[in-house]
Amino acid sequence: MAYLIPELIRKKRDGESLDDDEIRDFISGVTAGTVADYQIAAMLMAVYLQGLDHRELATWADAMLHSGDVLDLSSIDRVKVDKHSTGGVGDKLSLPLAPAVAACGLAVPMVSGRGLGHTGGTLDKHEAIPGFQVEIETERFVRIVDQVGASIIGQTARIAPADRVLYGMRDVTATVESIPLIASSIMSKKLAEGIDGLVLDVKLGSGAFMKTHERAVELATALKAIGEAAGKRVTAVISAMDEPIGTRVGNALEVEEAIAVLRGEGPADTRQLTTQLGAEMLLCGDACTSPEDGIARIAAVLDDGSALDIFRRMVEAQDGDPRVVDDPRAVLPRGRGRSSVKAPASGTVQSIAADEIGNAALLLGAGRRRKEDRVDPGVGIVIHKQRGDAVEAGEPLVDLIHNDHGVDEARERILAAYDVDLQPINTSTQAASRVLEVLR
Amino acid sequence: MAYLIPELIRKKRDGESLDDDEIRDFISGVTAGTVADYQIAAMLMAVYLQGLDHRELATWADAMLHSGDVLDLSSIDRVKVDKHSTGGVGDKLSLPLAPAVAACGLAVPMVSGRGLGHTGGTLDKHEAIPGFQVEIETERFVRIVDQVGASIIGQTARIAPADRVLYGMRDVTATVESIPLIASSIMSKKLAEGIDGLVLDVKLGSGAFMKTHERAVELATALKAIGEAAGKRVTAVISAMDEPIGTRVGNALEVEEAIAVLRGEGPADTRQLTTQLGAEMLLCGDACTSPEDGIARIAAVLDDGSALDIFRRMVEAQDGDPRVVDDPRAVLPRGRGRSSVKAPASGTVQSIAADEIGNAALLLGAGRRRKEDRVDPGVGIVIHKQRGDAVEAGEPLVDLIHNDHGVDEARERILAAYDVDLQPINTSTQAASRVLEVLR
């Protein structure tokens, strides 16, 4: 079926639905390189402005998924689940979640891209552990998932190649913030993992890509629809991303916090999110009877050391230095400089703008502006004062862990991020869960 | 001012207005080749779906105009006017209009592109005259306009190069049918002629690009707004394009009909349109006192041979065979075959679908499907039965003038075009002017 590409663009431009065959033809042309760049761009803009209905979206994502390889994990007996987050500042949840969920009897095969962001992605965070290899053979990855219960591998060029083309085009054509394009991009890669169930953590707030509740629900719904059309069990969680998560932002620093959580310690908010998201992953994999049961199970494997043990075996299996588990500070890279940002006045921390904390981390070198940028694993931010904390003028709000550059600009961002005021803060709000809504 | 192109695309995508500087930056980047094809495509789709307001449109067209050369006709004393038609089947009006208007004292400098269509453009029609050169030096063109009163030249690569890029992109990205893109494309080229006034003939109907009155008015208004923002006197005429114009369709055949009109003869509808459009051109150039006065002046120069004389001098000045004026049939190329399409039943011609007549001419080789196609000047259609004419079964409706191919398919198109029925037709409708509306 050779459709004329301009005719497909016209249909979408005029708000009509594309047939399944038309969508598959378009995506296979994108993959094969027979659709010109300018035609892809015109189609992306038409999709941006006219949308895709549920059936179109499911087909579009499925066509992208099948533009490349789909992992065959059928040799692994356990139920396979994963989690994907739309990205937040200080979001290191995948690190404790994978071993914790594996400790509860499920398998967690993580395939991760690098992407852009304030700090590195899950891949970069694992790579902050000396020796840790993410570019491993698929066979080895499958073996580690089978034997250890969890493993992480870098996304290869053979996974969803159509997404690679579209993703690269969206940034330069102002078609990034489109729900169907975001949803199909995420799901085409996640479904390539060959999983049975998936928990999607859709971040909402000033530090997230989705700024309004409506948009977050729209994205969650689209993601769920694609996954369910593909026969997967999918839960979408909408969680607050106004304040950074936990007290460490930056790659090695986040590994440190993740290990603390795996020891049954760590900041309360990070632990709470780990148990809640972990419970949803267990529910997806039929490994618990209720959210409360799931939370209890995750809490148990964090507290009894079994999650930490799986993490240690996973690090070892991927050539990382396993001593990181016992003494992270001695093993992880760390910026040479440490510089406090002090509170200019006394009061209570009313809010911390997550996006400004993220910008500060980016300025220090923790993230990527462009695909080709290198991440500095050792830099980042140690947060001393979280939302609701009392602070005296001159006390450190955060410490910047840095190397050669970005300190002055990062300091400005930190001061802009903190809102300290004399009025007291409602502690019930402070202690509230970040999980705002769960779409099971 | 180096704007980030994705930011400009985003603004338009979100329905915001682009600043003048932003538009000029975008168009100059298009001209210089620094804006990538896919970014042009995304912007075109965003403009297609979000539109341009009047100020943006005027700036966009002006930026396209000044992306290249603007003819300097200041050495010519006479007021300079031109006419542009959005294109219709059998529309040969430029051929009699230019000499007729010149005979009334104005100058008509025509710069014409080739474009696509059922039959060739004005350029191709002139080229059907043996020897006629349209690729002439600008200096020579200006001299002919000055001395003869009218001349035609092919659009060079130096006229509105930004339009060349955008025009080439629109067809393959399904962004052709956009009022602001159509209007700015037309006006950037017409204003490059260095004229004082312009009459725009916006065709409306089944055989035209604009199918609804609303769209035609929208285009007419956009064209007028651009021209007036550039300080030109602009009149937009909306004229009916349901039936083909006159009785000859095809390049040499249309020259023949044009010469008949220049002799004071020719089909009534072609003559009427010539006098009406000519009157509007005279009004634009202050060469008559009212539309009625203008019509009378044009009729006079058609009837007294002075328009024909100017046409003869123009043909001669551009190396064409001037004998075409006295004996067109002996000089013009003509397809080797002639084949009648006969009426299958008796009755009155209720309507003739102009687009199907156009398709028939295209099948015979009179027009271009693709830019690189060659036009066959000698083929086309001679219409024997116009709307309202009585016809007996077996009488010829049209004759196909053809060479080697397309006859059978063209015959089918002709039969599909004609609606012959026993019911009588309202002759007042039949005699009505094609001019539906004039926006002065």
Side-chain angles (χ1 to χ4, degrees), chain A residues 208-233:
Chain A
F209 202 50
M210 298 291 126
K211 308 284 184 198
T212 68
H213 181 256
E214 193 195 347
R215 292 276 290 171
V217 170
E218 210 185 319
L219 177 57
T221 308
L223 291 165
K224 235 176 109 64
I226 295 172
E228 285 165 2
K232 307 298 177 186
R233 186 131 162 213

mmCIF file of all heavy atoms in Angstrom, chain A residues 208-233:
data_model
loop_
_atom_site.group_PDB
_atom_site.id
_atom_site.type_symbol
_atom_site.label_atom_id
_atom_site.label_comp_id
_atom_site.label_asym_id
_atom_site.label_seq_id
_atom_site.Cartn_x
_atom_site.Cartn_y
_atom_site.Cartn_z
ATOM 1 N N ALA A 208 7.979 20.034 36.502
ATOM 2 C CA ALA A 208 7.693 18.929 35.590
ATOM 3 C C ALA A 208 7.334 19.471 34.214
ATOM 4 O O ALA A 208 7.085 20.661 34.025
ATOM 5 C CB ALA A 208 6.536 18.085 36.120
ATOM 6 N N PHE A 209 7.312 18.569 33.253
ATOM 7 C CA PHE A 209 6.958 18.895 31.896
ATOM 8 C C PHE A 209 5.466 19.228 31.816
ATOM 9 O O PHE A 209 5.052 20.106 31.060
ATOM 10 C CB PHE A 209 7.287 17.670 31.055
ATOM 11 C CG PHE A 209 7.474 17.978 29.628
ATOM 12 C CD1 PHE A 209 8.323 19.004 29.237
ATOM 13 C CD2 PHE A 209 6.802 17.269 28.652
ATOM 14 C CE1 PHE A 209 8.493 19.307 27.907
ATOM 15 C CE2 PHE A 209 6.968 17.569 27.319
ATOM 16 C CZ PHE A 209 7.812 18.583 26.952
ATOM 17 N N MET A 210 4.659 18.529 32.603
ATOM 18 C CA MET A 210 3.221 18.790 32.639
ATOM 19 C C MET A 210 2.953 19.782 33.770
ATOM 20 O O MET A 210 3.207 19.474 34.938
ATOM 21 C CB MET A 210 2.442 17.493 32.904
ATOM 22 C CG MET A 210 2.614 16.423 31.837
ATOM 23 S SD MET A 210 1.831 16.868 30.254
ATOM 24 C CE MET A 210 3.224 16.681 29.140
ATOM 25 N N LYS A 211 2.437 20.940 33.391
ATOM 26 C CA LYS A 211 2.269 22.011 34.383
ATOM 27 C C LYS A 211 0.856 22.056 34.962
ATOM 28 O O LYS A 211 0.635 22.703 35.970
ATOM 29 C CB LYS A 211 2.571 23.374 33.753
ATOM 30 C CG LYS A 211 3.910 23.482 33.035
ATOM 31 C CD LYS A 211 5.071 23.604 33.998
ATOM 32 C CE LYS A 211 6.376 23.804 33.232
ATOM 33 N NZ LYS A 211 7.555 23.504 34.058
ATOM 34 N N THR A 212 -0.102 21.431 34.270
ATOM 35 C CA THR A 212 -1.473 21.482 34.777
ATOM 36 C C THR A 212 -2.012 20.074 34.983
ATOM 37 O O THR A 212 -1.581 19.122 34.313
ATOM 38 C CB THR A 212 -2.421 22.201 33.791
ATOM 39 O OG1 THR A 212 -2.564 21.392 32.613
ATOM 40 C CG2 THR A 212 -1.881 23.581 33.398
ATOM 41 N N HIS A 213 -2.955 19.979 35.909
ATOM 42 C CA HIS A 213 -3.576 18.695 36.218
ATOM 43 C C HIS A 213 -4.216 18.103 34.972
ATOM 44 O O HIS A 213 -4.089 16.905 34.691
ATOM 45 C CB HIS A 213 -4.620 18.886 37.330
ATOM 46 C CG HIS A 213 -5.291 17.615 37.730
ATOM 47 N ND1 HIS A 213 -6.579 17.303 37.347
ATOM 48 C CD2 HIS A 213 -4.845 16.558 38.445
ATOM 49 C CE1 HIS A 213 -6.890 16.110 37.831
ATOM 50 N NE2 HIS A 213 -5.867 15.639 38.503
ATOM 51 N N GLU A 214 -4.878 18.967 34.195
ATOM 52 C CA GLU A 214 -5.561 18.517 32.992
ATOM 53 C C GLU A 214 -4.598 17.843 32.002
ATOM 54 O O GLU A 214 -4.888 16.777 31.463
ATOM 55 C CB GLU A 214 -6.210 19.745 32.343
ATOM 56 C CG GLU A 214 -7.202 19.414 31.259
ATOM 57 C CD GLU A 214 -7.522 20.651 30.433
ATOM 58 O OE1 GLU A 214 -7.161 21.777 30.860
ATOM 59 O OE2 GLU A 214 -8.114 20.483 29.356
ATOM 60 N N ARG A 215 -3.442 18.508 31.782
ATOM 61 C CA ARG A 215 -2.455 17.952 30.851
ATOM 62 C C ARG A 215 -1.886 16.645 31.382
ATOM 63 O O ARG A 215 -1.654 15.698 30.611
ATOM 64 C CB ARG A 215 -1.298 18.952 30.637
ATOM 65 C CG ARG A 215 -1.685 20.207 29.886
ATOM 66 C CD ARG A 215 -1.662 20.032 28.390
ATOM 67 N NE ARG A 215 -0.310 19.898 27.854
ATOM 68 C CZ ARG A 215 -0.045 19.561 26.600
ATOM 69 N NH1 ARG A 215 -1.038 19.340 25.756
ATOM 70 N NH2 ARG A 215 1.194 19.446 26.176
ATOM 71 N N ALA A 216 -1.653 16.584 32.697
ATOM 72 C CA ALA A 216 -1.082 15.367 33.284
ATOM 73 C C ALA A 216 -2.056 14.197 33.126
ATOM 74 O O ALA A 216 -1.654 13.085 32.766
ATOM 75 C CB ALA A 216 -0.750 15.604 34.757
ATOM 76 N N VAL A 217 -3.336 14.470 33.362
ATOM 77 C CA VAL A 217 -4.338 13.410 33.220
ATOM 78 C C VAL A 217 -4.434 12.977 31.753
ATOM 79 O O VAL A 217 -4.540 11.792 31.438
ATOM 80 C CB VAL A 217 -5.717 13.890 33.727
ATOM 81 C CG1 VAL A 217 -6.810 12.889 33.357
ATOM 82 C CG2 VAL A 217 -5.670 14.094 35.240
ATOM 83 N N GLU A 218 -4.342 13.969 30.875
ATOM 84 C CA GLU A 218 -4.405 13.676 29.441
ATOM 85 C C GLU A 218 -3.252 12.742 29.029
ATOM 86 O O GLU A 218 -3.457 11.754 28.325
ATOM 87 C CB GLU A 218 -4.299 15.007 28.683
ATOM 88 C CG GLU A 218 -5.010 15.065 27.350
ATOM 89 C CD GLU A 218 -4.736 16.398 26.642
ATOM 90 O OE1 GLU A 218 -4.735 17.466 27.306
ATOM 91 O OE2 GLU A 218 -4.496 16.364 25.430
ATOM 92 N N LEU A 219 -2.052 13.072 29.501
ATOM 93 C CA LEU A 219 -0.896 12.236 29.171
ATOM 94 C C LEU A 219 -1.043 10.851 29.799
ATOM 95 O O LEU A 219 -0.812 9.831 29.137
ATOM 96 C CB LEU A 219 0.404 12.907 29.642
ATOM 97 C CG LEU A 219 1.688 12.080 29.402
ATOM 98 C CD1 LEU A 219 1.858 11.726 27.935
ATOM 99 C CD2 LEU A 219 2.921 12.838 29.910
ATOM 100 N N ALA A 220 -1.442 10.807 31.071
ATOM 101 C CA ALA A 220 -1.602 9.525 31.765
ATOM 102 C C ALA A 220 -2.596 8.644 31.014
ATOM 103 O O ALA A 220 -2.362 7.441 30.809
ATOM 104 C CB ALA A 220 -2.069 9.766 33.198
ATOM 105 N N THR A 221 -3.682 9.251 30.578
ATOM 106 C CA THR A 221 -4.722 8.513 29.873
ATOM 107 C C THR A 221 -4.205 7.975 28.538
ATOM 108 O O THR A 221 -4.467 6.828 28.160
ATOM 109 C CB THR A 221 -5.937 9.429 29.633
ATOM 110 O OG1 THR A 221 -6.305 10.012 30.888
ATOM 111 C CG2 THR A 221 -7.113 8.653 29.071
ATOM 112 N N ALA A 222 -3.450 8.813 27.828
ATOM 113 C CA ALA A 222 -2.895 8.404 26.532
ATOM 114 C C ALA A 222 -1.915 7.247 26.716
ATOM 115 O O ALA A 222 -1.940 6.269 25.960
ATOM 116 C CB ALA A 222 -2.208 9.591 25.852
ATOM 117 N N LEU A 223 -1.048 7.348 27.712
ATOM 118 C CA LEU A 223 -0.062 6.295 27.965
ATOM 119 C C LEU A 223 -0.759 4.976 28.292
ATOM 120 O O LEU A 223 -0.404 3.914 27.777
ATOM 121 C CB LEU A 223 0.839 6.708 29.138
ATOM 122 C CG LEU A 223 1.810 7.872 28.879
ATOM 123 C CD1 LEU A 223 2.360 8.407 30.197
ATOM 124 C CD2 LEU A 223 2.946 7.433 27.960
ATOM 125 N N LYS A 224 -1.759 5.073 29.158
ATOM 126 C CA LYS A 224 -2.513 3.885 29.563
ATOM 127 C C LYS A 224 -3.217 3.248 28.359
ATOM 128 O O LYS A 224 -3.206 2.027 28.183
ATOM 129 C CB LYS A 224 -3.569 4.323 30.581
ATOM 130 C CG LYS A 224 -3.513 3.566 31.893
ATOM 131 C CD LYS A 224 -4.513 4.124 32.884
ATOM 132 C CE LYS A 224 -5.663 3.154 33.099
ATOM 133 N NZ LYS A 224 -5.243 1.885 33.718
ATOM 134 N N ALA A 225 -3.809 4.094 27.528
ATOM 135 C CA ALA A 225 -4.547 3.592 26.369
ATOM 136 C C ALA A 225 -3.620 2.823 25.429
ATOM 137 O O ALA A 225 -3.969 1.755 24.919
ATOM 138 C CB ALA A 225 -5.217 4.750 25.629
ATOM 139 N N ILE A 226 -2.439 3.374 25.191
ATOM 140 C CA ILE A 226 -1.486 2.690 24.300
ATOM 141 C C ILE A 226 -1.088 1.343 24.888
ATOM 142 O O ILE A 226 -1.095 0.321 24.212
ATOM 143 C CB ILE A 226 -0.217 3.547 24.079
ATOM 144 C CG1 ILE A 226 -0.562 4.842 23.338
ATOM 145 C CG2 ILE A 226 0.844 2.761 23.315
ATOM 146 C CD1 ILE A 226 0.606 5.812 23.252
ATOM 147 N N GLY A 227 -0.737 1.349 26.175
ATOM 148 C CA GLY A 227 -0.276 0.125 26.822
ATOM 149 C C GLY A 227 -1.357 -0.944 26.834
ATOM 150 O O GLY A 227 -1.091 -2.122 26.568
ATOM 151 N N GLU A 228 -2.574 -0.507 27.123
ATOM 152 C CA GLU A 228 -3.662 -1.486 27.206
ATOM 153 C C GLU A 228 -4.036 -2.027 25.836
ATOM 154 O O GLU A 228 -4.369 -3.201 25.696
ATOM 155 C CB GLU A 228 -4.851 -0.865 27.943
ATOM 156 C CG GLU A 228 -4.538 -0.818 29.446
ATOM 157 C CD GLU A 228 -5.447 0.080 30.257
ATOM 158 O OE1 GLU A 228 -6.383 0.676 29.666
ATOM 159 O OE2 GLU A 228 -5.220 0.189 31.479
ATOM 160 N N ALA A 229 -3.940 -1.153 24.784
ATOM 161 C CA ALA A 229 -4.189 -1.630 23.426
ATOM 162 C C ALA A 229 -3.165 -2.688 23.049
ATOM 163 O O ALA A 229 -3.430 -3.560 22.234
ATOM 164 C CB ALA A 229 -4.150 -0.466 22.438
ATOM 165 N N ALA A 230 -1.972 -2.607 23.667
ATOM 166 C CA ALA A 230 -0.924 -3.596 23.391
ATOM 167 C C ALA A 230 -1.047 -4.802 24.313
ATOM 168 O O ALA A 230 -0.172 -5.668 24.323
ATOM 169 C CB ALA A 230 0.455 -2.945 23.538
ATOM 170 N N GLY A 231 -2.121 -4.863 25.101
ATOM 171 C CA GLY A 231 -2.363 -6.021 25.952
ATOM 172 C C GLY A 231 -1.562 -6.043 27.245
ATOM 173 O O GLY A 231 -1.361 -7.103 27.836
ATOM 174 N N LYS A 232 -1.070 -4.871 27.676
ATOM 175 C CA LYS A 232 -0.272 -4.815 28.900
ATOM 176 C C LYS A 232 -1.112 -4.280 30.055
ATOM 177 O O LYS A 232 -2.074 -3.546 29.852
ATOM 178 C CB LYS A 232 0.940 -3.884 28.710
ATOM 179 C CG LYS A 232 1.786 -4.196 27.501
ATOM 180 C CD LYS A 232 2.405 -5.584 27.574
ATOM 181 C CE LYS A 232 3.198 -5.887 26.297
ATOM 182 N NZ LYS A 232 3.678 -7.279 26.282
ATOM 183 N N ARG A 233 -0.702 -4.608 31.250
ATOM 184 C CA ARG A 233 -1.341 -4.048 32.422
ATOM 185 C C ARG A 233 -0.607 -2.752 32.737
ATOM 186 O O ARG A 233 0.616 -2.756 32.926
ATOM 187 C CB ARG A 233 -1.210 -5.039 33.579
ATOM 188 C CG ARG A 233 -1.961 -4.612 34.775
ATOM 189 C CD ARG A 233 -2.811 -5.765 35.298
ATOM 190 N NE ARG A 233 -3.209 -5.493 36.672
ATOM 191 C CZ ARG A 233 -3.383 -6.423 37.597
ATOM 192 N NH1 ARG A 233 -3.185 -7.695 37.301
ATOM 193 N NH2 ARG A 233 -3.760 -6.081 38.809
#
